[in-house]
Amino acid sequence: MLEELDYNPGTINIRVSTMRSFVRYCYEDKGWIKETIHQRFKLVKAPIDNVEAFTLEEAHRLIGWVDDTTYTGFQMKVIMYVLLDTMVRIGELVEIKHENVELKKGTIMLKGDASLYWV
């Protein structure tokens, strides 16, 4: 996949992991495979992506750019502040319900993978 199809190492690793999981399932749960061939599946070395965070100045410039005199602008500014203050994921942010926000306590209850937690 790397040389012939020119796939990205990340794409290859996702496919190898999926195949390894399926072959392990066939071996351990179903007994369709008699030897542990899934252990021979190796991931391709992929370069580590370093994601640079905003500097304080960049965050201030970004927030200052938003026109909060409109409803949409105010909403955008609140979203930015929540993202920066809590480091919440976008998917968790859009799942926040009115009843999960405690303004007097200054907390938000987030629904994670299998748990609830407060920020």
Side-chain angles (χ1 to χ4, degrees):
M1 284 190 277
L2 191 58
E3 289 94 23
E4 292 179 20
L5 300 175
D6 195 32
Y7 283 175
N8 183 319
T11 302
I12 295 170
N13 287 338
I14 289 170
R15 291 179 181 201
V16 168
S17 296
T18 303
M19 287 187 292
R20 181 174 31 203
S21 296
F22 177 70
V23 172
R24 183 182 325 119
Y25 166 78
C26 292
Y27 171 74
E28 292 176 356
D29 294 351
K30 294 296 184 182
W32 295 337
I33 299 174
K34 300 301 178 199
E35 56 183 291
T36 58
I37 60 172
H38 61 276
Q39 293 175 346
R40 292 187 235 154
F41 287 41
K42 302 294 180 205
L43 299 178
V44 175
K45 286 192 177 189
I48 297 173
D49 290 337
N50 290 327
V51 178
E52 301 267 338
F54 286 126
T55 64
L56 188 57
E57 180 186 318
E58 290 170 333
H60 284 292
R61 281 192 4 229
L62 185 64
I63 291 170
W65 175 79
V66 177
D67 176 18
D68 60 1
T69 60
T70 66
Y71 176 78
T72 306
F74 179 74
Q75 183 182 38
M76 184 64 64
K77 201 169 255 192
V78 170
I79 289 170
M80 289 174 155
Y81 278 124
V82 171
L83 288 171
L84 289 170
D85 287 345
T86 64
M87 300 302 292
V88 66
R89 296 179 185 129
I90 293 290
E92 294 167 335
L93 181 64
V94 299
E95 290 295 320
I96 294 174
K97 305 284 188 259
H98 184 270
E99 59 267 13
N100 296 359
V101 178
E102 297 271 347
L103 291 177
K104 290 183 181 178
K105 293 181 182 178
T107 59
I108 302 170
M109 186 172 60
L110 301 173
K111 186 174 183 181
D113 295 332
S115 61
L116 297 175
Y117 51 96
W118 293 91
V119 293

